[in-house]
Amino acid sequence: MSTDNGNKKELLWQSRFSEPFDREALLFSSSVDVDKILYQEDIKGSIAHVTMLSEEAILPVEEARMIIEGLEDIEQEIASGALVPDWEEEDIHTVIENRLKEKIGPLAGKMHSGRSRNDQVATDTRLYLKRIINELSNELEALKQLLVEKAESYRHTVIFGYTHLQRAQPISAGHYYLAYFNMFKRDSERLEDLLKRVDISPLGAAAFAGSTLPLNAKRSRELLGFGALFHNSIDAVSDRDIIIEFLSACSVIMMHLSRFCEDIILWSSTEFNYLEISDAFSTGSSIMPQKKNADIAELVRGKTGRVYGDLVAVLTMMKGLPLSYNRDMQEDKPPLFDASKATVSSVRIFTKMLAHTKLNEERVAMLTAEDLSLATEIAEYLVRKDLPFREAHRITGSIVSHAITSGTPLPSIPLETYKGFSGLFENDIYDALKPEASVNAKRSHGGTSFASVDEQIRVAKEMMRDR
Ligand code: ARG
């Protein structure tokens, strides 16, 4: 089979070979379509490197100036669409270098002194991660802020709390929203912690073993605004832990969002009818005119699987790689960018949708007032009257069974009947059977009483301030 060697542009390493690279092989190996996202980071990294080279007298100041000006022009060209990165080059680093050559001639080649695409791409990736972590953290802040507001406005609204998706006990809706606040708080902490390991400059590691040129890696680090510098050049070019950590943090965020979405989808159904998503965030059906679907929540839930897949893709890609750099690692980028986009956009749209969702307070109040989920109150009432819990549980079970067979809500069962189950019942049983009283009696630490929820709101606000 013959090779197709009609390549338009020269590849960076072509001179060693007697035959041009096959076009189909180039199409297969090019990452331009994916890594063009990194053009700003790539140019920033090159400018820092060239600045360092000139400060160390590895490159004459005038030449460095020409290279830097050329790079700044190229950044404009790509931003404006005048230069469209083309797959017929290997990667974004090559696109930029070749364009620079067109602009300033062979001098462009000096930009790469003491550098390899291995430390270059590691640098770009870390700069990108810093940018995206910052963006994602800001989106999470907005979501947490909204959750505190929701908790505040619904702190005196009593809703059902569920276990096993069965009505379990009445709780403050504020308590419910704060549970999600706590999850997203941990997500923010995870990102913040991860940032410490992302904020390390790998520039100066060169291909993997270092360079014979008198590079000043500390200065490059400083110019790029990284907090710390790599310790081992082999590790600097071959480590992808930070991507894996970021993708796991994204996976956990998506898992939290997905659970929240599941609640919202269920609760907005006609059967539950606990909440209403505004029309602006609902979709209709092309065939069933009555339908109002929670597509945004469903899509966020759906994207969760993708993000898990991205994590597993990188973990699997890395597991068999010998040290140090291997081209397999180029495959880290599609999952990284895919998960970044999915997670940032999910948190963002979810927050917007949640802001336009309201609880159907009247309906939940009506339902909770009549519900069997107050049964635990009866058991605890008897415990307060000194009955062992097991016995109290047994008696309450019989009362629940009576309520079901007679079709009488617990608060409507007459005192005489209660007394028939246990002589310990007095008129105050009806106080215990008010959902609000039930909620307010749960004063234990972190519990659902209004006072405890107020305290949790106070702590949440403090956490937001301390950020
Ligand atoms: N596009 C490559 C990547 O993302 C850049 C590094 C190429 N290095 C090499 N030795 N071929 O990994």
Side-chain angles (χ1 to χ4, degrees):
M1 202 182 286
S2 65
T3 59
D4 174 358
N5 53 24
N7 294 335
K8 282 196 253 160
K9 301 236 169 99
E10 193 184 325
L11 298 160
L12 295 174
W13 37 261
Q14 194 60 60
S15 63
R16 183 234 174 274
F17 296 90
S18 48
E19 235 192 309
F21 198 38
D22 181 83
R23 259 174 76 78
E24 201 174 332
L26 176 59
L27 173 59
F28 179 76
S29 48
S30 170
S31 58
V32 174
D33 269 350
V34 172
D35 62 20
K36 60 186 176 198
I37 256 191
L38 293 173
Y39 79 92
Q40 282 165 315
E41 280 80 11
D42 199 68
I43 288 173
K44 190 175 172 189
S46 292
I47 290 177
H49 183 66
V50 167
T51 306
M52 180 278 291
L53 291 179
S54 76
E55 286 176 4
E56 299 303 316
I58 303 168
L59 191 67
V61 174
E62 183 49 24
E63 291 184 356
R65 195 188 56 77
M66 284 173 71
I67 293 176
I68 292 171
E69 278 175 14
L71 287 170
E72 284 167 351
D73 282 354
I74 294 171
E75 185 168 358
Q76 287 309 314
E77 288 174 4
I78 299 181
S80 69
L83 173 63
V84 180
D86 180 0
W87 71 261
E88 299 215 29
E89 293 174 82
E90 257 193 308
D91 49 32
I92 189 66
H93 327 298
T94 316
V95 169
I96 292 170
E97 189 170 331
N98 280 337
R99 177 69 186 130
L100 190 64
K101 207 183 299 166
E102 282 170 8
K103 291 171 99 66
I104 63 171
L107 174 57
K110 290 199 177 181
M111 167 173 80
H112 218 50
S113 308
R115 190 175 65 163
S116 150
R117 278 182 297 160
N118 297 352
D119 60 341
Q120 185 176 2
V121 76
T123 306
D124 293 5
T125 305
R126 284 173 182 272
L127 288 172
Y128 170 82
L129 275 168
K130 280 178 74 170
R131 164 156 71 94
I132 204 76
I133 288 174
N134 189 41
E135 226 176 281
L136 185 52
S137 300
N138 288 339
E139 296 302 342
L140 282 174
E141 269 339 275
L143 173 56
K144 285 185 294 176
Q145 184 61 46
L146 176 67
L147 286 168
V148 174
E149 284 163 24
K150 289 255 172 204
E152 248 188 328
S153 51
Y154 289 123
R155 67 194 203 281
H156 289 170
T157 304
V158 176
I159 60 171
F160 288 119
Y162 290 82
T163 61
H164 312 268
L165 196 54
Q166 304 289 339
R167 290 179 184 175
Q169 289 179 318
I171 55 169
S172 146
H175 198 205
Y176 167 86
Y177 286 115
L178 287 170
Y180 281 109
F181 172 88
N182 278 275
M183 296 184 220
F184 295 117
K185 168 79 172 82
R186 289 194 295 276
D187 291 332
S188 300
E189 285 170 1
R190 251 183 289 278
L191 291 179
E192 212 174 297
D193 186 66
L194 163 61
L195 205 48
K196 283 187 279 192
R197 287 177 294 285
V198 169
D199 196 18
I200 296 172
S201 175
L203 193 54
F208 77 103
S211 170
T212 56
L213 297 174
L215 303 176
N216 185 346
K218 286 193 181 125
R219 180 65 180 139
S220 307
R221 172 204 72 73
E222 194 177 80
L223 288 165
L224 286 171
F226 280 113
L229 180 60
F230 72 94
H231 293 295
N232 177 299
S233 60
I234 302 174
D235 182 49
V237 299
S238 61
D239 159 51
R240 295 294 181 270
D241 291 5
I242 44 158
I243 295 184
I244 291 168
E245 281 191 58
F246 177 70
L247 293 176
S248 2
C250 288
S251 297
V252 178
I253 293 170
M254 292 304 292
M255 179 268 289
H256 288 156
L257 282 179
S258 187
R259 295 185 73 180
F260 209 159
C261 287
E262 177 69 13
D263 278 349
I264 290 176
I265 293 161
L266 276 176
W267 291 14
S268 62
S269 69
T270 313
E271 284 73 10
F272 277 82
N273 192 16
Y274 292 173
L275 53 82
E276 180 93 25
I277 307 171
S278 88
D279 287 358
F281 292 87
S282 306
T283 54
S285 157
S286 52
I287 179 162
M288 297 162 283
Q290 84 286 5
K291 290 204 63 192
K292 180 169 168 181
N293 300 329
D295 281 26
I296 300 298
E298 288 173 26
L299 281 167
V300 171
R301 191 177 57 181
K303 281 179 198 287
T304 306
R306 256 172 83 164
V307 175
Y308 292 179
D310 291 330
L311 169 63
V312 173
V314 179
L315 279 169
T316 313
M317 180 274 284
M318 287 300 289
K319 77 177 271 291
L321 295 190
L323 282 180
S324 57
Y325 178 85
N326 299 269
R327 189 67 181 274
D328 315 44
M329 289 173 168
Q330 177 171 294
E331 291 295 316
D332 61 359
K333 281 169 224 62
L336 171 60
F337 300 151
D338 181 68
S340 302
K341 189 173 168 204
T343 311
V344 171
S345 62
S346 293
V347 178
R348 217 184 138 78
I349 196 72
F350 179 87
T351 305
K352 223 171 159 190
M353 177 190 68
L354 185 66
H356 291 87
T357 299
K358 62 179 190 343
L359 279 179
N360 191 346
E361 289 182 82
E362 272 170 38
R363 178 173 154 85
V364 287
M366 192 254 300
L367 290 174
T368 49
E370 303 210 324
D371 194 68
L372 293 172
S373 65
L374 294 164
T376 315
E377 301 327 306
I378 302 179
E380 289 193 351
Y381 173 91
L382 293 172
V383 168
R384 284 198 297 278
K385 304 236 162 166
D386 213 25
L387 207 63
F389 182 74
R390 287 288 160 238
E391 181 61 7
H393 188 282
R394 190 192 59 77
I395 294 172
T396 309
S398 312
I399 298 172
V400 167
S401 163
H402 167 79
I404 293 169
T405 43
S406 65
T408 328
L410 295 172
S412 310
I413 296 175
L415 186 58
E416 281 320 298
T417 314
Y418 273 114
K419 280 192 179 296
F421 286 103
S422 163
L424 292 171
F425 283 113
E426 300 294 344
N427 216 27
D428 57 353
I429 181 61
Y430 297 107
D431 296 335
L433 287 176
K434 293 198 179 92
E436 258 116 81
S438 148
V439 167
N440 266 323
K442 295 193 180 60
R443 268 182 260 274
S444 58
H445 174 80
T448 202
S449 75
F450 294 160
S452 164
V453 170
D454 283 346
E455 172 60 10
Q456 291 172 54
I457 291 173
R458 192 190 63 74
V459 172
K461 282 182 170 172
E462 217 169 82
M463 288 171 174
M464 297 291 291
R465 252 197 314 275
D466 287 351
R467 194 200 167 220

